[in-house]
């Protein structure tokens, strides 16, 4: 009896959630471009598309930081690698025997060996996901194996970011160094990437991949793996004493989140007209963390919301007053960390509703706590309406 | 032989800058487990203090101008130490035991400091001081009321926007009336240059090579700082307390050591050392809002490799990283393996400043495979060590 009730209670929010996700996705797909065009802000559609891509990274960071408690400050690296993988494919869509134009600038006559596989579309698509995953696995394994964690891990990821930034910046002959790869004048399936049609498709693709990423993260975090991840976050030594080896799980999550970042990077690069080592800036990677922190750690909706909201406020604020943005961002870091440690969604979930109610003078009487956790009482409350 | 000596000296001088920058960071990290991302920005503030002191001394003429550097060192130490104290009392003490959050919060502080240096002007200063007077004045006035705890959150909600609004409007009004004299940024976004005093220009001739005096000065400064920190930690009462808290916070608290004061003091000293490092760095190149960022990752690496809470670790790590950077960056190993084309190509590929960092990072990662807790790990029986 109890078990049946439990299942019923569990199923309901899940169906509700699925409905909500589909509804929001449809809204973003069809309503948002129409509304933005109607108010004369058409350029914001492309912006929204890019921010949706950034929301995918935020999901990845939420997986590794919110659920597993490992703060990576180097996700810009995986993001950029994904972007480069796609951009390299786009750059090679040229007539037979021709090289991308920047090679001739530096007097390179033969295509470097690692460019050659990128002639093939499937390889490039696979590379956007698997190259970041590979590097994350390698780095993660070497670091987690030695139980290096906490601040040490964050610093090491940041150092890895700097290292790759230096590498990409200094290799003019191999990947066009500081200038990066421009993609909006390249062709994909005989259409210009910068054209409206392709951009519309990319917008839809961003929504689709965001939903897929959401489902993947939801699946990873809801089952036994999710519980294990939270256990690692809360007390890793105890997990180890219980007979698990956390290393593998941590590497897995790190790799998955790197893969998500790679996909996001590819979508972002195609929509913003190119990719350059700029996205491997330290600041950008730390900003990614703040999206998650603002929206709410350990809440997938929060990560997505945070990414979109913070980025929109960034673009609006820096259009209006360019100087204020850095002050604002710094203030955001401080407030979120000190006042709202669980982010916006976390605040609503825990105390927010009650706080607003009591501010309005409508304090709810607190019942006996175990009563409201009792599944039978909950069942009656929901189904018998009293 | 000269080439080798040259290389060694260059490595040591890079290492000494790193060490100076990392010293404060290492002490703070060892004591409180706090990685201070704003450390680089504190260095930057030290560098700007040097710039200001230099400009104050310029009108005094030749004999006095040479001495500005000593005043600058003291001023940089004091300014950044006060800054660190404010930071610790205002933000970090609420975040003890949450290292990752502290990292983010101090990163926020570093962003604010960077933009502050870019856009600080009389207008901004007037606005900020007005806000502080209004807000904190009103709060301290209200705090005398017996029911302060109850109305506290309401007071915050009302006073914060009110004082922000007043300060903002007054500042913009002043800006409109007096125009450029008050709105012009003091430093601006461009880099500024600090000129070394006359007795630091030129260099020491050593055979065919020349060692610049500024580098020697920084080397000497580093040695003085290390000796100072060592004597402070090992010969003074507060040093003893700091070491006690580093080893076991709870036990020290039980024995009557005021851990909060110790934290604040250590943070102030660590920040002051950042200021001195900034002063030194300002002789090596021009000073800009991004000065701090250029050093921050390298200094973190020193702390990671050196291990927590050990002065010796920081010294050895800084020198090792400095020398490794130099040796790889100038391809000093290339000629030795010239007979093996593969190896010499390999070293030639990494032979510039940015590629040397790639190699050094790889070396650090592989080093951590053998010594995960750094060169000189804390001894103890903790599970999480």
């Amino acid at each position: 009896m109890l078990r049946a009730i439990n299942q019923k209670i569990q199923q309901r929010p899940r169906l509700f959630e699925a409905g909500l996700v589909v509804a929001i996705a449809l809204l973003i797909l069809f309503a948002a471009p129409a509304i933005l065009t109607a108010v004369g802000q058409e350029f914001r559609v492309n912006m929204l598309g890019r921010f949706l891509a950034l929301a995918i990274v935020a999901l990845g960071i939420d997986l590794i930081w919110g659920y597993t408690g490992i703060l990576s400050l180097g996700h810009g690296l995986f993001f950029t690698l994904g972007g480069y993988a796609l951009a390299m494919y786009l750059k090679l869509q040229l007539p037979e025997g021709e090289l991308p134009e920047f090679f001739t600038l530096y007097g390179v006559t033969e295509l470097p060996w690692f460019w050659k596989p990128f002639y093939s579309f499937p390889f490039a698509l696979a590379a956007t996901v698997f190259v970041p995953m590979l590097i994350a696995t390698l780095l993660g394994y070497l670091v987690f194996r030695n139980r290096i964690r906490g601040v040490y891990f964050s610093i090491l990821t940041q150092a890895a970011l700097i290292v790759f930034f230096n590498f990409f910046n200094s290799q003019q002959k191999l990947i066009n160094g500081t200038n990066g790869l421009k993609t909006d004048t390249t062709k994909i399936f005989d259409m210009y990437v910068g054209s409206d049609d392709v951009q519309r498709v990319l917008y839809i693709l961003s929504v689709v991949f965001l939903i897929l990423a959401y489902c993947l993260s939801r699946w990873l975090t809801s089952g036994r793996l999710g519980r294990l991840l939270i256990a690692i976050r809360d007390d890793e030594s105890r997990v180890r004493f219980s007979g698990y080896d956390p290393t593998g799980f941590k590497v897995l999550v790190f790799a998955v989140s790197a893969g998500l970042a790679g996909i996001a990077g590819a979508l972002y690069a195609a929509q913003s007209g190119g990719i350059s080592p700029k996205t491997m800036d330290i600041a950008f990677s730390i900003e990614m963390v703040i999206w998650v922190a603002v929206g709410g750690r350990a809440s997938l909706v929060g990560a997505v919301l945070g990414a979109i909201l913070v980025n929109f406020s960034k673009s609006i604020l820096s259009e209006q007053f360019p100087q204020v943005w850095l002050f604002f961002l710094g203030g955001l870091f401080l407030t979120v960390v000190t006042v709202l440690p669980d982010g916006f969604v976390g605040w609503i979930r825990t105390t927010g509703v009650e706080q607003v109610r009591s501010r309005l003078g409508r304090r709810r009487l607190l019942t006996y706590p175990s009563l409201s956790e009792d599944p039978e009482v909950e069942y009656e409350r929901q189904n018998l309406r009293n | 032989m000269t080439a080798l000596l040259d290389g060694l000296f260059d490595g040591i001088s890079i290492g000494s800058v790193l060490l100076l920058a990392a010293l404060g960071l290492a002490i703070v990290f060892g004591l409180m487990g706090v990685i201070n991302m704003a450390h680089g920005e504190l260095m930057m503030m030290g560098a700007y203090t040097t710039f200001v002191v230099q400009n104050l001394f310029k009108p005094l003429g030749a004999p006095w101008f040479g001495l500005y550097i000593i005043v600058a060192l003291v001023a940089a130490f004091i300014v950044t130490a006060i800054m660190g104290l404010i930071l610790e009392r205002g933000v970090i003490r609420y975040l003890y035991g949450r290292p990752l959050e502290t990292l983010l919060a101090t990163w926020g502080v570093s962003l604010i400091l960077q933009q502050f240096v870019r856009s600080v002007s009389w207008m901004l200063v007037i606005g900020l001081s007005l806000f502080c007077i209004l807000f904190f004045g009103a709060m301290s006035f209200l705090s005398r009321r017996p029911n302060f705890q109850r109305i506290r959150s309401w007071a915050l909600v009302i006073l914060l926007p009110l004082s922000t609004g007043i300060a903002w409007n007054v500042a913009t009004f002043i800006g409109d009336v007096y125009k450029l004299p008050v709105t012009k940024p003091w430093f601006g976004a461009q880099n500024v240059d600090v000129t070394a005093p006359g007795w630091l220009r030129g260099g020491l001739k050593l055979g065919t090579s020349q060692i610049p005096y500024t580098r020697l000065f920084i080397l000497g400064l580093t040695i003085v700082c290390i000796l100072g920190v060592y004597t402070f930690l090992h010969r003074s009462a507060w040093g003893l307390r700091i070491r006690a808290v580093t080893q076991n916070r709870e036990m020290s608290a039980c024995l009557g050591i005021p851990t909060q004061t110790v934290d604040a003091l250590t943070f102030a000293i660590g920040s002051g050392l950042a200021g001195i490092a900034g002063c030194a760095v300002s002789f090596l190149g021009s000073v800009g809002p991004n000065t701090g960022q250029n050093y921050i990752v390298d200094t973190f690496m020193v702390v990671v490799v050196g291990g927590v809470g050990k002065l010796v670790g920081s010294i050895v790590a800084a020198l090792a990283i400095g020398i490794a950077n130099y040796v790889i960056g100038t391809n000093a190993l290339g000629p030795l393996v010239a007979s093996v084309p593969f190896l010499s190509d390999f070293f030639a590929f990494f032979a510039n400043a940015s590629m040397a960092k790639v190699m050094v990072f790889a070396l650090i990662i592989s080093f951590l495979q053998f010594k995960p807790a750094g060169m000189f790990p804390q001894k103890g029986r903790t599970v999480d060590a």
Side-chain angles (χ1 to χ4, degrees):
Chain A
M1 159 72 177
L2 253 182
R3 199 161 170 201
I5 294 171
N6 263 334
Q7 271 180 354
K8 201 154 195 182
I9 290 172
Q10 270 179 5
Q11 262 170 13
R12 217 175 232 218
R14 202 166 284 178
L15 271 179
F16 177 72
E17 191 189 343
L20 203 67
V21 167
V22 170
I24 292 174
L26 289 176
L27 212 67
I28 295 176
L29 264 184
F30 298 108
I35 293 171
L36 285 173
T37 319
V39 292
Q41 302 264 316
E42 214 174 334
F43 66 102
R44 296 225 190 267
V45 178
N46 175 265
M47 214 181 248
L48 182 62
R50 274 184 284 152
F51 297 163
L52 290 173
L54 294 180
I56 300 177
V57 198
L59 278 176
I61 290 191
D62 200 15
L63 272 185
I64 190 159
W65 186 43
Y67 284 93
T68 324
I70 304 165
L71 178 60
S72 156
L73 298 180
H75 262 59
L77 163 61
F78 309 126
F79 183 84
T80 315
L81 284 175
Y84 265 96
L86 185 70
M88 278 160 82
Y89 165 75
L90 292 175
K91 274 281 172 199
L92 288 177
Q93 297 314 103
L94 295 165
E96 195 71 26
E98 243 180 82
L99 290 182
E101 74 278 7
F102 70 86
F103 276 128
T104 47
L105 233 62
Y106 302 113
V108 180
T109 47
E110 201 183 336
L111 203 61
W113 57 269
F114 65 91
W115 275 76
K116 282 184 183 141
F118 284 94
Y119 274 118
S120 113
F121 188 55
F123 178 84
L125 284 193
T128 56
V129 187
F130 289 112
V131 170
M133 280 181 95
L134 191 73
I135 289 184
T137 312
L138 204 69
L139 187 69
Y141 178 71
L142 286 179
V143 174
F144 292 136
R145 195 181 64 131
N146 287 306
R147 304 185 190 175
I148 294 170
R149 59 165 180 253
V151 186
Y152 279 100
F153 178 75
S154 308
I155 297 306
L156 282 178
T157 47
Q158 195 178 50
L161 185 74
I162 291 291
V163 159
F164 272 86
F165 178 75
N166 279 324
F167 181 78
F168 274 61
N169 251 341
S170 62
Q171 296 305 322
Q172 299 283 355
K173 283 184 179 173
L174 295 182
I175 37 180
N176 204 16
T178 329
N179 303 321
L181 306 175
K182 295 259 172 304
T183 57
D184 45 358
T185 51
T186 55
K187 283 183 176 178
I188 185 166
F189 301 126
D190 277 333
M191 279 187 292
Y192 283 107
V193 175
S195 68
D196 286 347
D197 290 330
V198 175
Q199 289 296 323
R200 203 164 300 135
V201 173
L202 283 169
Y203 180 82
I204 295 169
L205 274 180
S206 301
V207 178
V208 169
F209 272 105
L210 181 58
I211 292 171
L212 288 180
Y214 181 86
C215 293
L216 175 72
S217 314
R218 193 83 182 81
W219 178 66
L220 280 179
T221 54
S222 58
R224 286 175 56 149
L225 179 66
R227 261 178 276 165
L228 192 60
L229 295 182
I230 292 172
I232 291 174
R233 176 187 71 189
D234 292 341
D235 195 337
E236 191 180 332
S237 334
R238 203 172 289 186
V239 173
R240 197 176 291 121
F241 298 153
S242 315
Y244 288 96
D245 182 10
T247 311
F249 298 105
K250 286 160 89 175
V251 173
L252 176 74
V253 179
F254 192 45
V256 168
S257 85
L260 288 178
I263 295 173
L267 286 169
Y268 187 86
Q271 289 182 79
S272 60
I275 187 95
S276 75
K278 244 188 177 166
T279 45
M280 280 198 276
D281 204 19
I282 301 181
F284 186 57
S285 295
I286 301 187
E287 256 179 56
M288 291 175 184
V289 175
I290 204 68
W291 305 335
V292 178
V294 168
R297 291 166 57 182
S299 125
L300 298 173
V301 186
V304 175
L305 266 183
I308 294 173
L309 286 183
V310 174
N311 275 302
F312 260 110
S313 53
K314 174 182 184 173
S315 71
I316 289 169
L317 270 177
S318 49
E319 277 162 29
Q320 300 292 325
F321 350 71
Q323 298 172 1
V324 174
W325 167 241
L326 266 191
F327 281 130
F328 183 77
L329 186 64
L332 205 60
F333 271 93
L334 284 181
T335 10
V336 166
V337 167
T338 49
V339 185
L340 285 180
D342 292 324
F344 189 64
V345 172
W347 176 70
I348 288 180
R349 271 191 194 160
T350 50
T351 52
V353 179
E354 275 309 304
Q355 274 183 7
V356 172
R357 267 170 167 275
S358 70
R359 283 277 176 278
L360 297 172
R362 293 178 50 158
R363 208 176 287 262
R364 188 162 60 174
L365 275 178
L366 288 174
T367 51
Y368 191 57
S370 70
L371 209 58
S372 49
E373 280 166 14
D374 193 327
E376 272 190 290
V377 175
E378 188 67 18
Y379 175 74
E380 283 172 11
R381 195 176 277 159
Q382 282 186 352
N383 291 285
L384 308 176
R385 286 201 213 148
N386 56 1
Chain B
M1 192 61 202
T2 24
L4 194 68
L5 266 179
D6 259 13
L8 205 61
F9 181 76
D10 264 1
I12 289 174
S13 74
I14 295 174
S16 70
V17 177
L18 274 184
L19 178 55
L20 205 52
L23 203 54
L25 199 68
I27 294 172
V28 170
F29 185 50
L31 178 73
M32 314 194 238
V34 162
I35 276 280
N36 181 14
M37 295 288 273
H39 195 80
E41 273 59 41
L42 289 170
M43 276 170 71
M44 172 198 77
M45 289 195 74
Y48 271 102
T49 313
T50 315
F51 175 71
V52 170
V53 170
Q54 172 211 282
N55 282 359
L56 289 179
F57 269 68
K58 242 174 201 161
L60 291 180
W64 296 104
F65 182 67
L67 290 177
Y68 86 85
I69 184 161
I70 292 151
V71 182
L73 279 174
V74 177
F77 183 84
I78 292 172
V79 167
T80 48
I82 290 172
M83 205 51 227
L85 204 60
I86 295 171
L87 189 60
E88 205 272 343
R89 291 283 92 184
V91 182
I92 292 172
R93 73 170 158 152
Y94 300 110
L95 297 171
Y96 283 134
R98 290 156 60 193
L100 297 181
E101 272 92 341
T102 321
L103 197 145
L104 290 180
T106 47
W107 172 257
V109 171
S110 86
L111 286 182
I112 291 176
L113 284 180
Q114 269 178 40
Q115 187 57 42
F116 181 77
V117 163
R118 277 194 203 110
S119 57
V120 60
S121 62
W122 284 113
M123 196 175 103
L124 190 73
V125 171
I126 291 170
L128 266 183
S129 18
L130 197 63
F131 171 80
C132 286
I133 293 169
L134 284 175
F135 181 69
F136 293 109
M139 283 305 269
S140 69
F141 178 74
L142 279 178
S143 68
R144 285 191 211 131
R145 290 171 64 104
N147 61 349
F148 176 64
Q149 284 307 323
R150 210 146 51 78
I151 60 169
R152 199 190 144 117
S153 52
W154 277 111
L156 268 179
V157 169
I158 295 170
L159 281 177
L160 204 62
L162 197 67
S163 37
T164 316
I166 293 175
W168 176 276
N169 279 317
V170 169
T172 37
F173 176 72
I174 292 175
D176 283 345
V177 173
Y178 294 100
K179 303 278 185 230
L180 204 58
V182 290
T183 52
K184 186 173 175 280
W186 292 355
F187 308 113
Q190 292 86 16
N191 286 6
V192 294
D193 280 307
V194 173
T195 42
W199 52 276
L200 274 182
R201 284 179 215 140
L204 189 69
K205 286 249 173 357
L206 244 175
T208 52
S209 57
Q210 198 188 28
I211 299 172
Y213 283 132
T214 43
R215 298 253 169 188
L216 280 177
F217 177 74
I218 292 172
L219 194 60
L221 192 64
T222 313
I223 293 171
V224 169
C225 280
I226 291 170
L227 289 179
V229 168
Y230 184 84
T231 29
F232 175 73
L233 281 181
H234 290 261
R235 294 277 180 278
S236 74
W238 279 107
L240 185 66
R241 288 176 195 144
I242 289 175
R243 281 186 295 141
V245 177
T246 310
Q247 282 183 4
N248 192 331
R249 179 174 290 268
E250 284 77 23
M251 187 65 82
S252 316
C254 291
L255 292 174
I257 293 173
T259 49
Q260 292 207 343
T261 321
V262 167
D263 284 339
L265 182 75
T266 318
F267 205 85
I269 290 173
S271 309
L273 286 172
I276 291 182
C279 196
V281 159
S282 67
F283 294 122
L284 295 181
S286 54
V287 174
N290 294 328
T291 301
Q293 296 230 313
N294 302 336
Y295 288 91
I296 195 75
V297 174
D298 283 335
T299 43
F300 283 145
M301 290 287 93
V302 170
V303 177
V304 168
V305 172
V308 173
K310 283 282 197 304
L311 221 51
V312 190
S314 303
I315 296 169
V316 176
L319 291 182
I321 290 179
I323 293 175
N325 247 322
Y326 184 81
V327 166
I328 297 163
T330 55
N331 200 7
L333 288 178
L336 296 181
V337 289
S339 52
V340 190
F342 169 73
L343 272 181
S344 65
D345 279 357
F346 177 76
F347 281 120
F349 184 68
F350 288 101
N352 64 53
S354 52
M355 291 307 290
K357 279 198 175 141
V358 179
M359 187 80 173
V360 169
F361 177 70
L363 288 178
I364 288 173
I365 290 284
S366 37
F367 169 76
L368 287 177
Q369 301 303 307
F370 305 110
K371 288 243 168 196
M375 283 180 191
F376 300 96
Q378 283 270 348
K379 289 198 182 74
R381 294 193 187 181
T382 47
V383 179
D384 291 330

